Amino acid sequence: MATLRPPRSVSSRDSSDGSERLDGAGSWDALEWTKIEGHGVVLVNRDEAGTLFVTNFRLLFLVVKNQSAARQIDRSPSRRLLQIIGKDMRIIVFGFRPRTKQRHVIFDALLRCAKPARIWDLYAFTCGPSKFSKPNSKVRLLNEYFRLLGKGSHCASVSMVEEGSFTLSNDLWRISNTNSNYTVCSSYPFALIVPKSISDEEVIQASTFRARCRIPVVSWCHPGTGAVLGRSAQPLVGLMMNMRSNADEKLVSSLCTQLVDGKGSRRKLYIADARPRKHALANGAMGGGSESSSNYFHSEIVFFGIDNIHAMRESFARLRDYLDTHGAASSDGMSSFLRHGGSTWGGGNLSSMSASVSTLGDSGWLIHVQSVLAGSAWIAARIALESASVLVHCSDGWDRTSQLVSLANLMLDPYYRTFAGFQALVEKDWLAFGHPFSDRIGMPSVSGTSFDLTRQSSTGNLSSSPVRQSSGSFTPQTSNTSHAQNNYSPIFLQWVDCVSQLLRVYPFAFEFSSTFLVDFLDCVLSCRFGNFLCNSEKEREKCGIYEACGCLWAYFADLRSLEGSSHAHYNLFYDPLKHNGPIFPPAAALAPTLWPQFHLRWACPSESQAGELEAESRSMAIKFSELQKAKEAAEMKAKEYSVAMETLKAELRNEKRLSSSAVNLAQRASKESAAIKRAILSLGCRVNYTSNGDCTVDIESNPTGSQEKSIQSPPRKESDGTMERDDNSDLSVSVTVVSDDVSSSPLGQVCETLCPLRTRDGSCQWPSAGCAQLGCQFVGLKANFDAFDHLSIYDSYFES
């Protein structure tokens, strides 16, 4: 129980750690502490001694480490007991020392914190501004209206709300601002969807014929067929059932728009009265009643027979007592297998055992849940399968009506089975349309009144525990408390229970998990956030809820953003494509069972395995996701390696091509070089290369070699006419090769520098050049050709 760490001192205002946050909402400074410590307090449920703290946020019990002496001292049968019944089905019993004021101090503190005189004394207000804030709920309601009318491209804003410029419409329906100041109906939202053919004046006239002025309005529109789901309060037909209203009849008949079958026929209207028929007739004595099908065009009246809030409250109390009596961990600290010698299990007598277990059926809770589920499924089927419109109401139109309409919406529209849609559904059909949360959950309202904390259960169930018979424990309250004085009833809790039953039947249809529903209910009951305070939208606006308190939806969204899809609020099996339309649970599937995560978490903690199985599945899913990510990363890496290998192969192929080309060029250059050498040597030249790549060609007049192929100087003519050879007239020709862009080979440079037969673009065509074709061995030397005149060349040189 001691889930929070208390401050170092008793008074939170003296705490040295005032900045510590409480699960994201508020701080320790906002808590008002009442402390009873020492070995005088015993938690009977677990037989543990410790220190008890009562705050305006929650109850803290810190267990004493060394309890051996404490248990011996505090086992006195005369200890004073205090039983605390939680709204979440938890029953806690504390034992106090006799002849002390400990029990009275704790009782007074509980009354002060759980039943404050003013709504502003609740923890949601005293904790100060919260980081979990969100835009005004009116903006969100308008955005949902725009979606229903097919105007999702429009986006609502605060200025739109203030200016009243939100009156959009389609072919059949429009958004009316006639209740913008809550003058028509104080428990309805500021904006209403009504038939386009009905004027605001007719809306005002029709409001006088419905209980609490809650006129028939549209809650959901079918985007394809035009059928609608409407809601209202009971008509004021009177005891004789003869009162009528033309404006109301016209408004209701406008819900029966023409069918889109091309024949111009009108669709059928079902008026679903959630009450038993006898209760509807009894309400006629107080001016209420039900409609007559003869007064409403093409209509049929259907009664669902769902009991009122008082029957639900007593049924819930019987269910809580059954679980505490027959659970594994009872509030008296004794197992149901050992209580009264095992008599609660029949003492081995199977008939007695069956009678004990049948007490669950006697509570009636599961029957009530089944009635709400069956009625909602019937409504959804009429709208989706018959294209009929349905108008739902009970007495005031804010309890059973909210249950049926919102659950039918959940079955019809897959959007409402997502996180965003579930928020829009709750804010529209529960908060905006005035479900009295303060009265039903037991919180103070704006007027300062709050519900009576007396227990609603039978004395027979209470006396089943020996602890409850102990001296000075408490005097049990009977169920005869006036209904007018106690309006507490688990209506909203029952609706969430119905949602959990649908989630059990259709595990692939919901984005959120059962854990989300449990946490959602706990936050609604804890008064941590302002979303579910007050009884209507008007009261929440009057109290400044949106500015002063934190937002539950923002808190949950922040939790989910920290862990992503691996958060416990996400449904692991959600498949939006599997159920992308309406769901219609058959009658055989509407047999409900106890919701383990909520009903059994305190009475049978080890038997509530659904949460553990879900956690194990989630852990496996996280591991699978991690492996999937590792696989994707490995595949990406392998793909990168494959691309790199292909690139290397391409580069290798290119290198091979270049190498082959270089070899060919080298071979060609070698052939050209050999040819050039032969040509130059044939001229009697000697080629010298320098380190910088320059080439010097020396031409000698008397080359070595064959005499037939030698090149000699011409004879010198003497005065007597004879020719005399001048052996000293050696010829030396020096040629420096100029750099050329055609070839980088030294021999190529020589050839291309000396060759006069180069092409116009400067490239050499050897060995297919002209010089080679002519068999010329003079390769175009750039030399002193006057010296060549003195050379004598034998014709035999050119002979083959």
Side-chain angles (χ1 to χ4, degrees):
M1 289 189 59
T3 57
L4 290 180
R5 179 173 57 85
R8 298 176 182 175
S9 58
V10 175
S11 174
S12 63
R13 294 174 176 81
D14 297 332
S15 173
S16 61
D17 192 13
S19 61
E20 182 177 356
R21 309 300 292 179
L22 291 177
D23 293 338
S27 65
W28 291 108
D29 291 334
L31 299 180
E32 298 178 1
W33 296 84
T34 299
K35 177 181 178 182
I36 299 295
E37 59 182 338
H39 296 158
V41 182
V42 176
L43 178 60
V44 178
N45 303 59
R46 301 179 181 177
D47 194 22
E48 295 175 337
T51 301
L52 178 62
F53 295 88
V54 178
T55 77
N56 59 344
F57 176 57
R58 61 176 57 173
L59 205 62
L60 305 179
F61 183 79
L62 302 184
V63 179
V64 178
K65 292 183 178 180
N66 186 9
Q67 300 186 25
S68 57
R71 290 175 179 172
Q72 296 177 0
I73 296 175
D74 294 322
R75 286 185 182 276
S76 171
S78 62
R79 61 184 176 186
R80 300 297 184 258
L81 303 179
L82 178 64
Q83 185 186 53
I84 302 173
I85 301 175
K87 301 169 188 175
D88 59 352
M89 304 194 70
R90 180 164 25 177
I91 300 178
I92 305 171
V93 178
F94 288 104
F96 301 90
R97 289 178 176 177
R99 296 181 297 276
T100 64
K101 296 183 179 180
Q102 290 180 334
R103 186 175 62 156
H104 295 286
V105 171
I106 294 298
F107 181 77
D108 293 340
L110 284 172
L111 288 181
R112 183 174 63 255
C113 295
K115 187 182 177 182
R118 305 180 309 160
I119 188 174
W120 293 277
D121 294 330
L122 291 173
Y123 174 78
F125 285 94
T126 58
C127 68
S130 172
K131 67 176 183 179
F132 301 112
S133 59
K134 248 192 170 182
N136 194 298
S137 64
K138 293 183 177 181
V139 175
R140 300 196 293 271
L141 179 63
L142 285 180
N143 284 328
E144 177 60 14
Y145 280 177
F146 294 162
R147 188 189 73 89
L148 292 176
L149 297 184
K151 304 291 182 180
S153 58
H154 293 76
C155 185
S157 61
V158 176
S159 60
M160 183 182 293
V161 175
E162 295 174 349
E163 297 170 1
S165 57
F166 51 81
T167 55
L168 302 181
S169 65
N170 58 17
D171 296 337
L172 300 175
W173 320 104
R174 68 182 181 91
I175 302 176
S176 172
N177 61 357
T178 184
N179 196 43
S180 58
N181 295 322
Y182 308 104
T183 54
V184 176
C185 178
S186 61
S187 59
Y188 261 14
F190 74 104
L192 304 170
I193 299 180
V194 297
K196 191 174 182 179
S197 59
I198 301 298
S199 64
D200 287 343
E201 291 75 14
E202 291 172 322
V203 170
I204 297 174
Q205 293 174 11
S207 65
T208 60
F209 188 69
R210 293 283 169 169
R212 302 185 186 274
C213 300
R214 295 174 67 88
I215 59 173
V217 294
V218 175
S219 173
W220 186 78
C221 312
H222 195 289
T225 64
V228 296
L229 175 57
R231 60 180 298 166
S232 68
Q234 63 179 340
L236 303 180
V237 296
L239 179 61
M240 303 303 295
M241 306 286 289
N242 57 357
M243 300 296 294
R244 298 181 60 179
S245 170
N246 293 331
D248 182 79
E249 293 174 9
K250 181 180 179 181
L251 176 57
V252 174
S253 298
S254 298
L255 301 177
C256 302
T257 57
Q258 291 184 354
L259 290 171
V260 290
D261 55 2
K263 300 179 181 179
S265 57
R266 307 277 289 188
R267 71 178 73 249
K268 188 173 183 179
L269 172 68
Y270 290 96
I271 300 178
D273 195 326
R275 303 166 293 180
R277 183 187 295 270
K278 61 180 181 180
H279 291 182
L281 296 176
N283 273 284
M286 297 180 290
S290 187
E291 296 86 350
S292 174
S293 58
S294 60
N295 297 335
Y296 294 89
F297 176 77
H298 207 208
S299 64
E300 180 181 343
I301 314 299
V302 181
F303 293 92
F304 286 162
I306 302 175
D307 286 325
N308 58 22
I309 62 172
H310 311 297
M312 299 301 176
R313 177 177 62 246
E314 294 172 357
S315 174
F316 186 71
R318 289 193 295 269
L319 174 64
R320 182 181 57 221
D321 289 340
Y322 165 81
L323 293 175
D324 183 60
T325 301
H326 300 284
S330 177
S331 61
D332 60 6
M334 183 179 294
S335 172
S336 61
F337 294 97
L338 303 177
R339 185 177 296 116
H340 302 316
S343 62
T344 56
W345 283 97
N349 188 324
L350 293 181
S351 60
S352 300
M353 185 184 299
S354 300
S356 299
V357 176
S358 66
T359 309
L360 173 62
D362 295 339
S363 69
W365 180 258
L366 296 182
I367 297 176
H368 295 316
V369 170
Q370 184 178 24
S371 298
V372 177
L373 284 170
S376 303
W378 186 92
I379 294 171
R382 300 289 78 75
I383 295 176
L385 303 181
E386 295 185 16
S387 298
S389 293
V390 181
L391 174 64
V392 184
H393 70 74
C394 51
S395 297
D396 296 320
W398 54 35
D399 290 311
R400 289 164 284 190
T401 300
S402 295
Q403 287 180 325
L404 293 169
V405 169
S406 57
L407 204 60
N409 279 336
L410 200 70
M411 297 179 184
L412 288 167
D413 197 336
Y415 170 70
Y416 291 134
R417 300 194 286 269
T418 65
F419 283 110
F422 186 78
Q423 174 185 345
L425 179 65
V426 172
E427 290 190 319
K428 173 173 64 74
D429 282 309
W430 288 92
L431 293 169
F433 277 97
H435 176 70
F437 277 98
S438 287
D439 293 342
R440 298 296 180 261
I441 297 179
M443 304 177 189
S445 62
V446 176
S447 60
T449 60
S450 60
F451 87 117
D452 188 3
L453 281 178
T454 54
R455 182 185 179 197
Q456 299 299 312
S457 63
S458 62
T459 57
N461 289 339
L462 191 61
S463 61
S464 61
S465 171
V467 174
R468 296 171 185 145
Q469 299 173 352
S470 301
S471 172
S473 59
F474 51 83
T475 301
Q477 298 289 335
T478 66
S479 59
N480 296 326
T481 304
S482 174
H483 290 168
Q485 295 178 355
N486 189 354
N487 288 320
Y488 165 77
S489 186
I491 298 299
F492 187 70
L493 186 153
Q494 187 180 58
W495 177 78
V496 178
D497 193 349
C498 292
V499 176
S500 73
Q501 303 293 337
L502 289 178
L503 177 58
R504 174 180 58 84
V505 178
Y506 299 98
F508 301 98
F510 294 82
E511 185 182 14
F512 46 83
S513 65
S514 182
T515 303
F516 165 78
L517 295 178
V518 173
D519 292 344
F520 174 65
L521 268 182
D522 287 343
C523 287
V524 171
L525 300 174
S526 67
C527 298
R528 288 180 57 189
F529 305 96
N531 303 75
F532 297 90
L533 300 180
C534 304
N535 289 326
S536 65
E537 181 182 274
K538 178 182 178 180
E539 291 186 5
R540 281 185 286 274
E541 184 175 340
K542 180 179 179 181
C543 294
I545 295 292
Y546 311 111
E547 296 80 12
C549 303
C551 178
L552 177 146
W553 310 111
Y555 172 64
F556 280 160
D558 182 73
L559 289 180
R560 294 194 298 271
S561 65
L562 297 177
E563 300 182 25
S565 59
S566 62
H567 194 273
H569 288 178
Y570 282 94
N571 180 13
L572 295 174
F573 310 105
Y574 176 57
D575 185 1
L577 299 180
K578 189 176 182 67
H579 296 286
N580 58 355
I583 54 176
F584 306 112
L590 293 177
T593 183
L594 288 177
W595 180 11
Q597 291 94 323
F598 185 80
H599 292 141
L600 302 181
R601 57 175 171 167
W602 310 120
C604 306
S606 60
E607 283 71 24
S608 180
Q609 297 293 332
E612 296 181 9
L613 291 175
E614 186 174 337
E616 186 67 23
S617 300
R618 192 172 305 280
S619 177
M620 295 176 62
I622 293 175
K623 292 180 180 179
F624 177 78
S625 178
E626 294 175 352
L627 292 175
Q628 190 72 16
K629 291 179 180 179
K631 177 185 175 183
E632 293 176 356
E635 290 177 349
M636 184 66 66
K637 203 70 175 176
K639 186 176 180 180
E640 293 177 358
Y641 287 150
S642 177
V643 172
M645 289 294 294
E646 292 296 330
T647 303
L648 291 176
K649 288 181 179 179
E651 292 178 354
L652 181 59
R653 288 193 296 268
N654 187 41
E655 289 293 333
K656 287 182 178 180
R657 287 195 299 269
L658 292 177
S659 176
S660 177
S661 176
V663 170
N664 294 334
L665 289 176
Q667 293 175 352
R668 180 178 177 182
S670 177
K671 293 179 180 179
E672 293 176 354
S673 176
I676 292 173
K677 284 182 178 181
R678 288 196 303 271
I680 294 176
L681 291 175
S682 66
L683 296 175
C685 299
R686 184 175 65 253
V687 180
N688 298 318
Y689 295 97
T690 62
S691 59
N692 59 359
D694 292 340
C695 175
T696 301
V697 180
D698 295 334
I699 300 178
E700 299 179 352
S701 61
N702 189 18
T704 61
S706 175
Q707 293 182 356
E708 295 181 353
K709 296 185 179 181
S710 62
I711 302 178
Q712 299 178 355
S713 301
R716 183 174 55 190
K717 189 175 182 179
E718 296 293 337
S719 59
D720 57 359
T722 62
M723 300 297 294
E724 182 179 357
R725 187 177 303 274
D726 188 1
D727 296 333
N728 296 327
S729 60
D730 294 337
L731 174 63
S732 178
V733 180
S734 296
V735 180
T736 301
V737 179
V738 183
S739 63
D740 195 288
D741 57 353
V742 178
S743 174
S744 60
S745 173
L747 293 178
Q749 292 177 358
V750 173
C751 176
E752 294 171 8
T753 302
L754 301 180
C755 183
L757 299 176
R758 297 171 64 186
T759 59
R760 293 182 180 180
D761 58 356
S763 61
C764 178
Q765 299 295 325
W766 185 275
S768 59
C771 57
Q773 296 295 328
L774 294 175
C776 178
Q777 301 297 320
F778 288 102
V779 203
L781 291 176
K782 292 182 180 179
N784 186 353
F785 288 94
D786 292 338
F788 277 99
D789 292 340
H790 299 285
L791 295 175
S792 62
I793 302 175
Y794 294 95
D795 295 337
S796 62
Y797 176 82
F798 295 100
E799 295 178 357
S800 57

